[in-house]
Amino acid sequence: MTPPQRSWPGSAMLTGRPRPVRILTAVVVIAAAAAVVLGALQPVHPADGRPLPPVYGVCVAAVLAAIAQLAGLRFRLGPDAVSVSWAEAAVVVGFVLAPAGWLPAATLAGTGAAWLMLAWFTGLRNVAEIVHLIASMTLGVAGAALVTALLAGDVPVHSARLPLALMAGAGTYLLITFGLVVLTLMLHRDAHPGQIATRVLYAKLPMTVGNLIVGLCAVYALIREPLWLLAFGPVLWLLHRTYRFHLRAAEERRMWEAFAAATARLPGASEAEVARAGLLGALDVFGARRAELEVRTGHGHRRYAQDVPGLENATGARSGPAITRSMAVSGRPVGELTVWLGEPGLPVPRDEAAIAAYGEALAGALHDAAAHQRIVDVEARAAHDRVHDPLTGLLNRSAFRAEGDRLLRSLDRPRPVALLLLDVVGFGEVNSTLGHRGGDEVLRLIAERLNGLIRDGELTGRTGDDEFALLAPVATLADSNAPAHGEPSPMLPALRRARELVEQLRVPMEVAGVRLSVEVTVGVAVERAGQCEVGELLRRASLAIGRAKEMGVTVGTYDSGQDVSSTDRLALLADLQDAFAADDQIMLHLQPAVDLVTSEPTGVEALVRWRHPRRGNLSPAEFLPAVERSELLIPFTRRVLDLALASAADWTASGIDVPVSVNVSARSLTDPTFPAQVTEALRRHRTPASRLVLEITESVAVSEQDIVDEVLARLRSSGVQVSLDDFGTGFSSLASVTRMPVDEIKIDRSFVDEMIDSAAAGAVVRGAVELGARLGVRVVAEGIETIEQRAALIALGCPSAQGYHFCKPMPADKIVQALSQLARSASGNVTPLRADDASTA
C-alpha cells in the first residue's frame, strides 16, 4: 500500500504542501534511510533451503518490488489518489529470496525505479510526493522484515513457523503504510481520520488478504515445485481484474451516493446559495481539487470558485485534468461548470458524463433560484408599491396613516406632535402649462426637497395629488438657539417649521427648461400623541388649509371651532333627507303685508324654517346655501310650495283673499322645468295661479338672463305673480325692472331703517315709490318697526308694508287668526293687489 499521490507540478510542491505534511515527510525519509543503512549492516546468515544466493535474491526482491508498484491500482480519495499494490506479496516472496536486512534496500531500489518510470510515462513531476511515497514503503518493508526475522529466526524456509512469521510481517507492513496514509491525508486535508481510514480499509483490505495468499503460494511453489509459478500469470491477471472491479464499483457507488446527496442540497433561495452548494457538491462528488462556476445572466457574468480544504489559493489547485461543461435549461445558456480532478491522467468518459449530469442538475437549480429571486423581487416591489407613492417614492396616504399611528404609539402620551399638510398652490396651472410630465417632475422635486428637509423622528408622505404631509414630535421642531421662557406653546415651533418648509420649497427649480418657484399653503394641527390619530390630524390640517386660503395667508392653524361648521355641513344634507320623511321639521313662518293706511292684509310672505331634532330651529341662512348647491333643491322647493299653498287655502277658506309669496332660488329660475313644477303644485292644491307670488332677488334677475327671462315669462303667462325682492341694494335695480316685467317691488329694509335720519335713504324710498306708481306695480316696504317709519312712508305715498310694527312671522296655525284680526281692525278699503284693480277684494 502506498501513501496518497498528488498530481500537482513540482513548482507548486512546497507552496501546496502544508507545513505538518512537510515535517512528516522529513521524518519518514530519515527513518527509511536509517532502516536501509542499519539493515545493510546486518550480517547475512544463509538460511537452509533458500532457492537463490543472497545477491541474486536481493536483485529478484528489488525486481518484485518494482513489478508490485507497476501493477498496482489507484483509486480516488477526494483530491488525492491512493495506490494499492502487490507490495505485501513482494514482501513475502522477497523475505524467502533475500536476507531480511537487505529487503529495505531492495525495496528502495525497486520502488524508486518503478516510480521513476511512472513519472516518466504519466508526467508526474512531484519529487517530494515520490520521495515521501518511496520512503513510506521502505519504512513499511523494514518493519515487516524486522517482525518476520524476529518471529522466524534461523528456521529453514520450509519450516511451519515461517508462514506465520510472513503473515505477521505482511500485517506489520500494512499497519505502517496504512497509518502513514491516514496521517498524511489527515494533515493535508484536515479531514476526520475515521472517514479516511474506513474508505482506505474498504479498498485495501481485500487486496491485502489476496496479496498474502498469493505470496504464500508463491513461496510454497518456489520451495516445492517451481513449475507451478507458470500458473501464477493468469491467476494474478484475474485477481488484478477483480481488484480493479472492486475499487471501481466502490468508487461508482460512493460517487452516485454523493451525487444524490449533493443534488438534494442544490435548491436554494438565491444564486449565491445554489452556487456554493453546487461547488461544494462537485468537490465531494468528483473528488476534485477545485471547482469553478460561471453564471450568465441578462446583466453579465458572475464567477464563483471553491477549493478543497488545504488548497485554498494554491496554484496547484488549477493543475491536472479539468473538465468544463456548458449548462443550459430548455436551450437557454445558464453558464459553465469547470472541475479540476484529483486523479492524474486524462478524464475517463465516466467522469465527463457524471459532470455533465451534475451540470444539468446545477443549471436547473440556478434557473429555479433565478425564478425565485424574480418572484421575491416582484413581491418586494409590490410590497413597496403598496405603501409608497410610485411617482415620488414617499409613503402613500394609507401607509402614512399606519406608520404615523405607530410613531404616535411609540411616543409618550403627553408629548405634543404636529402634522403639517402642504398643498401646492396653482398646481393645475403647472399641469396646463408644462403638461402632466412637467407636473410630475415638479412633484418629484418637491418630494426630494422634503426628504432632504426631514429630521430624525419625522415622517413624510404624499397624501393627495398635490398634497404632502409631515408628522413630527414637537420637541424636534424647537430651535435650540431660541431662549426658553417657561413652557412654550407647542404651536409656535410647529409654525416655525411650517414657515421654514415654505421658504425652502419656494427656492426656484428648473423643469422642462422653465425656471419656476413653487408656493405651498400649509395647514398646521398640533395635538398630544396619546389623544389623536393621524387620520384625525390630517382632517384638522385640511381644515387649517381651507382657513388659510380663506384668509389669504400661507400658513393656517386648526381651530376647534371649525369642526362644528364643517361637521354640520357634511351631516346637513343627510339630515335634510330625513326631514322630508317627517311631517314636523320643514315648516313655514308667515308674515303679513298690510296697507299702510288701513292695516288691511294685502299679502303674506312665507319664510321657511327647519326644526332640527338636534340643533333646534334653523334659519334659512344656515341651510339654504347647502340646499341650493345640492340635488335636494327640487324636492325642497316642492315641499315649500306645498306648505305655502296649503296655508293659503286655509285663509282663503276663512274669507281672506290675499296671495302668498315664496322666495325662489337662483337655480330654480335657471331650470327650464321649474314652471311645470309650479303649475303642478297649483294643480295639486287647486289654487289659482294669481294667489302665488314668487319673490326673486336682483342678483337672480341679472344672472343667465336668457334662461331666466324665458322661465319668468312662462310663469307670468300662467298667471303667477313675480316680486323683485331687496330692491335698491344692487347695481342694476332699474335695469332689472325695465327689462323684466314684475308685479311687485319690495324696498329693502336697510333703506327703511335709515330713511328718517338719512336724506339719501329717503330719496331712494321716494324714488322706488314713484317708480312703482309709474310702472303700475305694487310697492311694499320691508322692516317697518316704528310708527315714525309708518308715518314717513305714508307721507311718501308708499301703499303697503310689512314688519314687526304690524305683525311678526308666526306659525301657519296662527296666521288665519292674525289675518282675520287685521281685517276686522281695518278702517277703510283694502289696497288693491294689482295696479289695474285685477285683484281687488
Side-chain angles (χ1 to χ4, degrees):
M1 183 174 184
T2 62
Q5 310 164 32
R6 306 192 65 86
S7 57
W8 7 322
S11 61
M13 175 183 64
L14 296 178
T15 57
R17 292 171 60 82
R19 186 169 182 272
V21 176
R22 296 199 298 269
I23 295 174
L24 177 63
T25 298
V27 171
V28 172
V29 170
I30 294 172
V36 170
V37 173
L38 292 176
L41 296 177
Q42 297 298 318
V44 178
H45 301 287
D48 295 336
R50 183 171 287 141
L52 295 174
V55 176
Y56 294 144
V58 171
C59 293
V60 172
V63 172
L64 290 175
I67 294 174
Q69 296 303 314
L70 293 174
L73 299 173
R74 292 186 297 277
F75 69 95
R76 191 179 297 156
L77 188 64
D80 303 306
V82 177
S83 294
V84 289
S85 64
W86 297 88
E88 290 87 350
V91 169
V92 170
V93 176
F95 188 84
V96 174
L97 297 177
W102 284 88
L103 282 179
T107 301
L108 178 63
T111 55
W115 280 103
L116 286 175
M117 292 176 63
L118 290 173
W120 177 265
F121 288 109
T122 63
L124 184 65
R125 298 292 185 269
N126 197 324
V127 178
E129 290 293 345
I130 294 176
V131 170
H132 183 92
L133 185 150
I134 295 172
S136 297
M137 289 186 291
T138 301
L139 189 61
V141 169
L146 178 62
V147 171
T148 303
L150 290 176
L151 293 178
D154 296 331
V155 299
V157 294
H158 51 75
S159 171
R161 290 174 54 189
L162 185 60
L164 296 176
L166 291 174
M167 287 189 290
T172 301
Y173 173 83
L174 176 64
L175 289 176
I176 292 174
T177 55
F178 173 76
L180 289 175
V181 167
V182 173
L183 181 59
T184 302
L185 291 176
M186 183 180 66
L187 294 176
H188 209 303
R189 295 173 52 196
D190 195 23
H192 193 276
Q195 297 176 351
I196 298 175
T198 301
R199 288 195 59 192
V200 173
L201 277 178
Y202 180 82
K204 177 58 181 172
L205 194 58
M207 194 167 185
T208 300
V209 175
N211 281 356
L212 187 57
I213 295 173
V214 168
L216 292 176
C217 291
V219 169
Y220 180 82
L222 284 171
I223 297 173
R224 301 294 184 181
E225 189 59 54
L227 291 177
W228 283 102
L229 293 176
L230 298 176
F232 273 64
V235 172
L236 292 176
W237 182 82
L238 289 174
L239 286 176
H240 188 82
R241 298 287 295 180
T242 302
Y243 292 157
R244 181 182 295 275
F245 177 79
H246 170 73
L247 292 176
R248 181 169 294 178
E251 175 61 17
E252 291 274 358
R253 184 168 56 253
R254 182 211 65 80
M255 187 183 73
W256 290 114
E257 289 175 353
F259 188 100
T263 53
R265 292 191 296 267
L266 285 181
S270 67
E271 177 187 292
E273 292 180 14
V274 174
R276 176 170 174 78
L279 294 175
L280 290 175
L283 296 180
D284 184 35
V285 172
F286 306 110
R289 297 191 307 276
R290 180 180 176 86
E292 287 186 0
L293 178 64
E294 180 185 275
V295 181
R296 299 175 184 173
T297 66
H299 306 289
H301 296 184
R302 282 189 290 272
R303 287 187 174 272
Y304 303 89
Q306 183 68 44
D307 294 317
V308 74
L311 290 182
E312 291 87 351
N313 302 319
T315 57
R318 287 191 176 89
S319 65
I323 300 177
T324 299
R325 286 291 177 269
S326 297
M327 302 182 299
V329 175
S330 299
R332 299 181 60 183
V334 175
E336 287 185 349
L337 174 66
T338 302
V339 177
W340 277 267
L341 299 176
E343 174 70 17
L346 294 176
V348 296
R350 171 182 57 86
D351 292 325
E352 296 179 350
I355 291 175
Y358 187 78
E360 291 179 1
L362 181 55
L366 288 170
H367 182 271
D368 292 344
H372 179 270
Q373 187 61 46
R374 286 194 294 271
I375 293 173
V376 170
D377 292 342
V378 169
E379 291 178 346
R381 284 196 299 271
H384 180 274
D385 292 344
R386 279 195 298 270
V387 298
H388 289 84
D389 172 50
L391 177 62
T392 63
L394 300 178
L395 294 175
N396 58 30
R397 186 179 184 90
S398 60
F400 180 79
R401 292 181 60 173
E403 291 295 326
D405 286 337
R406 278 193 285 271
L407 175 61
L408 295 181
R409 289 193 294 270
S410 68
L411 301 174
D412 294 335
R413 291 179 59 85
R415 185 174 185 178
V417 293
L419 191 139
L420 280 58
L421 194 62
L422 291 77
D423 180 77
V424 182
V425 177
F427 185 70
E429 183 180 354
V430 173
N431 272 335
S432 61
T433 304
L434 302 179
H436 288 286
R437 182 175 298 179
D440 290 346
E441 183 62 22
V442 169
L443 293 176
R444 278 194 292 268
L445 291 175
I446 292 175
E448 290 178 5
R449 290 190 180 181
L450 281 177
N451 272 329
L453 294 172
I454 61 172
R455 303 168 180 171
D456 291 341
E458 294 182 349
L459 190 68
T460 186
R462 183 186 179 194
T463 56
D465 289 341
D466 56 352
E467 193 176 79
F468 299 86
L470 178 73
L471 178 68
V474 171
T476 68
L477 305 176
D479 185 358
S480 59
N481 297 323
H485 301 286
E487 185 67 25
S489 168
M491 183 61 75
L492 297 179
L495 291 176
R496 286 198 298 269
R497 182 70 165 127
R499 295 188 181 97
E500 175 188 349
L501 293 179
V502 170
E503 293 301 321
Q504 292 295 328
L505 294 177
R506 186 179 288 161
V507 175
M509 62 179 67
E510 186 170 331
V511 177
V514 178
R515 193 167 183 264
L516 53 88
S517 178
V518 174
E519 298 287 342
V520 294
T521 301
V522 183
V524 181
V526 177
E527 186 54 89
R528 299 188 182 277
Q531 297 180 0
C532 64
E533 295 180 344
V534 171
E536 173 62 16
L537 288 175
L538 284 170
R539 185 187 69 82
R540 295 180 182 181
S542 180
L543 291 175
I545 285 181
R547 183 182 183 189
K549 290 181 177 180
E550 290 175 0
M551 298 173 63
V553 297
T554 303
V555 179
T557 58
Y558 166 74
D559 181 2
S560 60
Q562 295 172 285
D563 269 346
V564 176
S565 59
S566 61
T567 305
D568 287 345
R569 280 197 300 268
L570 292 175
L572 193 64
L573 296 179
D575 292 345
L576 188 58
Q577 295 186 59
D578 295 337
F580 290 158
D583 295 329
D584 58 348
Q585 291 192 31
I586 303 299
M587 58 183 185
L588 295 181
H589 279 200
L590 301 163
Q591 185 177 31
V594 301
D595 184 283
L596 275 172
V597 177
T598 66
S599 297
E600 181 76 17
T602 61
V604 177
E605 182 177 2
L607 304 172
V608 66
R609 299 288 187 270
W610 183 2
R611 186 183 297 162
H612 197 281
R614 290 186 299 103
R615 299 168 58 187
N617 291 332
L618 300 181
S619 67
E622 295 179 85
F623 61 87
L624 280 183
V627 173
E628 291 182 356
R629 293 190 298 267
S630 72
E631 298 300 323
L632 297 178
L633 179 60
I634 293 177
F636 180 81
T637 303
R638 177 190 177 101
R639 173 62 66 87
V640 173
L641 285 174
D642 285 341
L643 292 174
L645 294 176
S647 297
D650 289 341
W651 66 67
T652 299
S654 299
I656 302 173
D657 186 13
V658 294
V660 62
S661 300
V662 178
N663 289 280
V664 179
S665 164
R667 274 185 60 196
S668 295
L669 290 180
T670 57
D671 181 5
T673 66
F674 180 63
Q677 299 172 28
V678 174
T679 301
E680 175 62 20
L682 292 170
R683 185 194 62 78
R684 284 197 304 271
H685 293 276
R686 299 178 180 179
T687 301
S690 59
R691 295 293 178 86
L692 176 63
V693 179
L694 298 180
E695 293 190 6
I696 63 174
T697 62
E698 177 189 338
S699 60
V700 174
V702 298
S703 64
E704 302 189 44
Q705 293 183 2
D706 294 340
I707 299 177
V708 171
D709 288 350
E710 179 183 353
V711 170
L712 289 177
R714 291 170 57 189
L715 288 171
R716 296 191 80 248
S717 65
S718 67
V720 175
Q721 300 184 62
V722 176
S723 173
L724 184 61
D725 198 11
D726 301 333
F727 183 79
T729 58
F731 296 100
S732 55
S733 298
L734 295 177
S736 300
V737 173
T738 58
R739 178 182 61 84
M740 181 179 57
V742 296
D743 300 288
E744 178 184 82
I745 58 176
K746 302 184 77 169
I747 304 174
D748 189 72
R749 66 175 301 159
S750 60
F751 300 108
V752 175
D753 289 340
E754 299 178 7
M755 61 179 294
I756 296 176
D757 300 324
S758 171
V764 171
V765 175
R766 181 182 298 106
V769 172
E770 292 178 355
L771 179 65
R774 293 183 180 275
L775 294 177
V777 299
R778 295 189 307 275
V779 177
V780 179
E782 295 182 297
I784 305 302
E785 296 185 355
T786 65
I787 192 171
E788 291 81 7
Q789 292 172 339
R790 178 180 182 183
L793 288 171
I794 292 174
L796 292 175
C798 184
S800 59
Q802 69 182 77
Y804 282 16
H805 176 68
F806 302 103
C807 190
K808 294 182 180 181
M810 62 189 65
D813 58 353
K814 297 181 179 180
I815 191 62
V816 174
Q817 180 182 357
L819 291 174
S820 299
Q821 184 176 353
L822 287 172
R824 286 194 300 270
S825 63
S827 59
N829 297 327
V830 177
T831 303
L833 291 176
R834 289 185 183 272
D836 56 4
D837 296 333
S839 299
T840 303

